[in-house]
Structures are given as C-alpha cells and as structure tokens.
C-alpha cells in the first residue's frame, strides 16, 4: 500500500500556489489587455487645442464685426459672444473700444450664464444671486471665484479670443 | 514634369502623324470627365469601349504608411487576333488602364521607386488624372504585345503627416482596356463597330470609294462624313416603301449582305470587327498601422500563454484528485 501512496503523492502546496499565481497573472494581463481599448473607446476624443485662438461669433455663429459692434453699443457695455470651447463669453467694451480681455459668462458657482446688469454696472447671476463687478471680480457669493478671463485681441474687423496668459490683474 | 512632357510629345506625335486614334485613349476620359468613376461605380471608359473583356489586378492585402508598393494590372487577350485600324487594315491591339487609388495615395517618383519598379515602368508613361486628383493614375496607349501586365508604383500616405488620411480598409478601382473604341470623343462611330440596316427593304446598290471621293455620284458623296473619306468606304442604298435609304460603312467591317438581299431595320449588315474590350475590377487595400499589428501579436501571445497555464493547472488538479482517491 505504501508504494501506491508514494506514486500518487499530491503536488505540495507551494507548487499549487506558484501555479495559481502564474495563472491569475496571465489571465489578468489578457483581461486588462482586452478592457483597455474598450475603456478608451468610451472616453470622448479631445476636440484638439486651437493654439492661435478663435474668432468671436454671434448667437447664429457668424463672426462679429467690431465696427458694427462699437456703432450699436454704448461706450461701456458687455456683449455675449461664442468663445473658446463654445462657452458664452462677454466682449468687454470700455471707453468705446474693445478691451484686451473678455469674460467667460459661466458662473463659477454652478454654471449659469451670468447676465450683465446695465443699471447697476454688475453681473448678477439669476440662479443663486452671485454678483461680479464690471471686470468680472466676484463681490458676492455663493460663487467661489471671479469670472474666468480670456484674452481678446482685435484681428482686422473681428475679435479673436485666446486663453488668458499671465496673472489675473483683478487680484488685489 | 519630365514624364508629363514625354506624354505630351507622344500625344503630339500621334496626332501629328495624321492617323486617327488607333487604340485605347485614357486622355479622352481625362478631357471629357472630371472624375473617371461615375456615382454608380462605372468607369467612364465603358462609355466608348462597349465590349466587355476581363481585367486582372494584383493589389497588396495591406501596406504600411509611406511604403512604396506595386499594383499590377493584367490586360489579357488573344495575341494572335488583330483588330481593324482606322483605315480598315489589320493591326495589333493597344492597351490602356486607369487606377483609382484612395485619397492620399499617389504615384511614386523616380527616386522613390525600387530598381525593379524602375525597370518595369521604364516604357510606360503613367500620369495622374489631374492636379486635383493625384490619386487617379492613367496609362496608355501601350502596345499590347509587350504590356499584357502594367505595373503602377504607388506610395502609401502617412496618417501622422496627413491628418485627413486614416488607417483603414480602402477600395481600389481598376479599369483596363484593349483595342480600339466604338465612339469617338465627338460622338461619331468609329469603324470598329457593327453597322445596321437603316430601314426595312432591299439592298439595291453598293458604291465603293476607290481612292477619291469623286468616284461617287454627287448625292452619295455628300453623305460621307469627312472622317470616313477613305479608300474602301462603301455606301449602301436600301430601297424601302418610304424611298431610298443610304448607309455609309467605313473600311474595316466586312459586309454580310449582297445586292438584292432583303433586310429588316436594325439587322446587322456587317460582321463585328471588334476583338478588344474594357473590363473593371475592385480590390481591397488596407492601410495598416504597424503598432496595431505589434499589439495584436502581443495580445495573442498573452492568450496563448494563459491557455497553456490553464491546461497545466488542470493537470495539477488531476494529480491532486488522483492522490485523494488512491492515497
């Protein structure tokens, strides 16, 4: 009987654990390898960065003409336009000229578009009452930060928005 | 530039010799159509080359970006056969071809070609269809005896350099012709056609031009269009209930009716001298990313290793089970 037992000795536990580890490792590689492209497929493709900025457009998607804009608006006004990433962006008119900055109209609280209040010279958010000064600096909550700046340059008869470089001039 | 110049010289030479076009002319397609491939997929050569004959094509299954590869177009026909030429005499067939590559693919320059490709294309003048369509290649006419197979050296685009090109499976459309066409660019029939009776009636007279138009009676001479004013042109007069109808048959096709025969309208009065024909084929061509193949091989290797390990684990479990039963 003892001879039969020695013939069918089971593999020791260490050998079983080693093979389990090798097997689970390789199964893991295959599963991860198959899932990686699937997960990547569901992540939206990036729109691609426009390094040189974007021409400001009106609500219909037509480029805004600066000469027409200045002729039809008061010397101090904020005009909504389509800006970077499709965000509504204010063209800032100061002293009858387009300022070198624009303001992203998305409220920094929960993302409502902030309207310009001509009488009070303020941006007042209709959703939760946040208020911003004429240059976009937050003066009343619950909004945590000032309106985002974008750089605005006059390019021929159009306004060109590009990402704001450098420090925020509204910090005191 | 040199190649275009050569083609232009060849064209001038052919036209200058006064001979009427003798064979397949891809230039006619270039002159008349912006795109040689119609919306239905028909290649416009078939508008004038009315007979169908097989075309063979050899396109690689997949190419990598920037690769210089070869597309072979086979234009087989019975080399012992001869076609009628414009003056009615017999002669060899010419061949021509058009290759519609996917957007972004283009003809290889002399410097890019391999030594083998340079030898194979030494006698062929391959030109892009137009400046707007460098991906469509034309060749011909070439003597068919030496060019049963035409080689196109092609360069694949690189999606990294040209964002409008993607890695994917494309279609290549190939058309090839041998022998003269049936319609001239101005719409008139060439002599490489079957001629048919213009009316139901009886053939009463055959007048043949010998060398000069003046042998014919004036009323028949005025019927012969200038391109048929050749020795051997026949004017057939049919008498029908509505009067005399005349048919001008240029030299080349042989008459199958004799004076006194009765014919019905539309019956052929000549044999069909056409021994050539046009054929088109479509082939798949994959623009393959080498990275994709590398990762596929790696993934397949991982699967193979996993399967081997699964079987080994099963063997180990079998040993444990045997020990439990017998031990």
């Amino acid at each position: 009987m003892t001879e039969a037992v020695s013939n069918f000795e089971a593999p020791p536990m260490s050998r079983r654990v080693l093979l389990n580890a090798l097997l689970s490792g390789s199964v893991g590689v295959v599963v991860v390898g198959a899932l990686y492209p699937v997960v990547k497929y569901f992540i939206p493709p990036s729109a691609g960065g426009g390094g040189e900025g974007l021409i400001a457009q009106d609500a219909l998607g037509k480029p805004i003409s600066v000469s027409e804009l200045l002729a039809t608006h008061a010397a101090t006004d904020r005009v909504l336009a389509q800006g970077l990433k499709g965000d509504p962006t204010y063209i800032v008119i100061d002293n009858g000229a387009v300022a070198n900055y624009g303001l992203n109209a998305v409220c920094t609280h929960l993302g409502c578009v902030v309207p310009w209040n001509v009488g009070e010279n303020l941006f007042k958010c209709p959703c939760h009452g946040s208020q911003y000064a004429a240059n976009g600096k937050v003066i009343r909550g619950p909004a945590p930060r000032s309106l985002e700046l974008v750089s605005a340059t006059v390019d021929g008869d159009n306004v060109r928005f590009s990402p704001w470089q450098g420090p925020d001039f509204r910090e005191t | 530039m040199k190649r275009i110049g050569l083609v232009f010289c060849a064209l001038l030479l052919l036209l200058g010799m006064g001979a009427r076009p003798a064979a397949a002319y891809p230039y006619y397609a270039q002159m008349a159509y912006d795109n040689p491939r119609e919306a239905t997929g028909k290649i416009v050569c078939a508008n004038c080359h009315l007979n169908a004959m097989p075309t063979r094509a050899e396109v690689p299954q997949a190419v990598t970006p920037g690769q210089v590869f070869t597309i072979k177009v086979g234009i087989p026909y019975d080399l012992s056969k001869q076609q009628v030429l414009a003056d009615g005499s017999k002669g060899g067939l010419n061949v021509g071809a058009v290759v519609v590559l996917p957007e972004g693919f283009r003809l290889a320059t002399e410097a890019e070609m391999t030594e083998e490709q340079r030898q194979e294309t030494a006698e062929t003048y391959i030109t892009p269809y137009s400046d707007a369509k460098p991906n469509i290649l034309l060749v011909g006419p070439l003597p068919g005896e030496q060019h049963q197979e035409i080689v196109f050296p092609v360069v694949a685009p690189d999606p990294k350099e040209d964002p409008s090109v993607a890695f994917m499976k494309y279609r290549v459309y190939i058309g090839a012709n041998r022998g003269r066409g049936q319609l001239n660019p101005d719409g008139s029939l060439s002599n490489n056609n079957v001629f048919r009776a213009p009316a139901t009636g009886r053939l009463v007279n055959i007048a043949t031009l010998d060398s000069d138009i003046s042998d014919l009676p004036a009323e028949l001479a005025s019927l012969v269009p200038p391109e048929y004013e050749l020795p051997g042109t026949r004017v057939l007069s049919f008498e029908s209930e509505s009067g005399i109808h005349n048919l001008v048959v240029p030299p080349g096709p042989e008459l199958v009716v004799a004076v006194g025969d009765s014919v019905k309208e539309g019956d052929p009065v000549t044999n069909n001298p056409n021994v050539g024909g046009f054929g088109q084929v479509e082939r798949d061509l994959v623009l393959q990313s080498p990275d994709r193949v590398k990762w596929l091989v790696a993934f397949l290797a991982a699967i193979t290793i996993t399967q081997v390990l699964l079987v080994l684990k099963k063997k180990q479990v079998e040993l444990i089970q045997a020990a439990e039963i017998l031990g």
Side-chain angles (χ1 to χ4, degrees):
Chain A
M1 271 317 274
T2 48
E3 282 165 28
V5 169
S6 64
N7 279 348
F8 289 96
E9 201 172 348
M13 190 51 82
S14 62
R15 191 73 62 78
R16 300 184 204 176
V17 169
L18 175 69
L19 199 48
N20 282 350
L22 281 174
L23 180 60
S24 55
S26 59
V27 168
V29 166
V30 170
V31 170
V32 169
L35 281 181
Y36 174 76
V38 176
V39 171
K40 239 180 107 178
Y41 175 81
F42 283 103
I43 297 171
S46 70
E52 74 282 8
L54 192 94
I55 296 283
Q57 295 165 336
D58 63 11
L60 298 176
K62 292 181 190 128
I64 288 175
S65 157
V66 170
S67 52
E68 210 182 304
L69 187 79
L70 295 177
T72 52
H73 288 87
T76 308
D77 206 351
R78 306 288 182 263
V79 185
L80 266 182
Q82 293 189 44
L84 301 171
K85 296 185 216 149
D87 280 346
T89 305
Y90 281 106
I91 297 173
V92 178
I93 304 173
D94 274 335
N95 307 321
V98 174
N100 70 342
Y101 67 95
L103 293 169
N104 189 331
V106 176
C107 181
T108 54
H109 178 221
L110 288 173
C112 296
V113 173
V114 183
W116 170 241
N117 190 319
V118 183
E120 297 180 63
N121 228 24
L122 283 176
F123 293 103
K124 289 174 95 172
C125 184
C127 294
H128 304 95
S130 303
Q131 292 181 10
Y132 304 89
N135 63 5
K137 188 169 173 55
V138 64
I139 51 177
R140 220 206 80 174
R145 293 182 310 279
S146 304
L147 291 179
E148 239 174 76
L149 289 169
V150 296
S151 167
T153 48
V154 176
D155 179 358
D157 197 32
N158 298 120
V159 180
R160 184 179 286 278
F161 288 134
S162 49
W164 183 260
Q165 312 282 353
D168 189 340
F169 63 87
R170 300 166 301 190
E171 305 277 329
T172 46
Chain B
M1 224 39 230
K2 193 174 147 200
R3 185 167 299 164
I4 294 168
L6 274 171
V7 168
F8 191 62
C9 291
L11 193 64
L12 276 183
L13 202 70
L14 280 163
L15 294 175
M17 287 195 307
R20 235 157 264 120
Y25 264 82
Y27 312 112
Y28 287 166
Q30 212 172 2
M31 273 154 52
Y33 304 93
D34 288 336
N35 188 338
R37 189 169 175 269
E38 288 182 355
T40 54
K42 182 178 82 172
I43 290 177
V44 294
C45 308
N47 288 344
C48 298
H49 295 274
L50 305 181
N51 202 16
M53 279 183 88
T55 291
R56 297 198 194 109
E58 203 176 293
V59 178
Q61 195 260 332
V63 293
T64 50
Q67 188 185 334
V68 180
F69 63 99
T70 297
I71 288 178
K72 283 185 185 161
V73 179
I75 311 162
Y77 65 90
D78 184 353
L79 290 175
S80 65
K81 281 193 179 152
Q82 291 205 308
Q83 67 175 351
V84 297
L85 302 179
D87 61 357
S89 60
K90 294 274 186 175
L93 278 72
N94 285 4
V95 296
V98 54
V99 174
V100 183
L101 294 164
E103 296 262 335
F105 287 70
R106 61 174 175 84
L107 187 68
T109 62
E110 198 81 24
E112 287 167 327
M113 286 185 217
T114 62
E115 192 52 44
E116 195 191 352
Q117 284 173 331
R118 237 173 259 137
Q119 281 167 7
E120 281 169 324
T121 57
E123 291 160 29
T124 55
Y125 315 121
I126 304 171
T127 51
Y129 194 75
S130 60
D131 287 344
K133 292 190 166 32
N135 59 320
I136 302 178
L137 306 180
L138 291 182
V139 73
L142 297 167
E145 287 84 5
Q146 292 94 330
H147 295 94
Q148 291 281 287
E149 191 175 74
I150 299 177
V151 167
F152 291 82
V154 178
V155 184
D158 190 347
K160 277 198 202 103
E161 289 162 15
D162 183 0
S164 65
V165 178
F167 289 116
M168 63 175 192
K169 189 186 274 186
Y170 292 98
R171 273 326 226 158
V172 180
Y173 307 98
I174 295 154
N177 180 68
R178 71 236 77 186
R180 296 176 58 229
Q182 281 66 60
L183 271 82
N184 296 321
D186 62 3
S188 60
L189 292 179
S190 75
N191 67 336
N192 195 16
N193 271 307
V194 183
F195 288 79
R196 289 169 190 281
T200 303
R202 206 165 55 85
L203 179 59
V204 291
N205 184 37
I206 299 175
T208 306
L209 269 77
D210 289 329
S211 57
D212 201 314
I213 192 77
S214 60
D215 333 348
L216 289 183
E219 74 272 14
L220 292 183
S222 64
L223 294 171
V224 181
E227 69 263 28
Y228 289 167
E229 282 174 15
L230 292 163
T233 292
R234 292 140 292 181
V235 182
L236 279 60
S237 301
F238 297 89
E239 186 182 42
S240 76
E241 289 168 5
S242 57
I244 298 284
H245 294 262
N246 293 303
L247 173 71
V248 180
V249 178
E254 284 159 24
L255 294 184
V256 294
V257 289
V259 173
D261 287 356
S262 290
V263 292
K264 279 209 237 61
E265 186 178 349
D267 277 354
V269 298
T270 68
N271 68 345
N272 186 358
N274 190 6
V275 294
F278 175 75
Q280 65 180 79
V281 289
E282 297 182 8
R283 292 286 181 272
D284 282 339
L285 174 63
V286 177
L287 182 58
Q288 184 61 272
S289 156
D291 285 343
R292 187 176 303 189
V293 177
K294 267 181 231 154
W295 284 110
L296 176 68
V297 170
F299 186 60
L300 291 179
I303 287 175
T304 311
I305 291 167
T306 307
Q307 286 181 329
V308 169
L309 285 171
L310 273 168
V311 173
L312 287 178
K313 183 65 198 172
K314 179 75 166 52
K315 293 276 179 207
Q316 195 183 50
V317 169
E318 279 168 7
L319 278 182
I320 296 165
Q321 287 171 334
E324 277 171 359
I325 293 165
L326 297 171

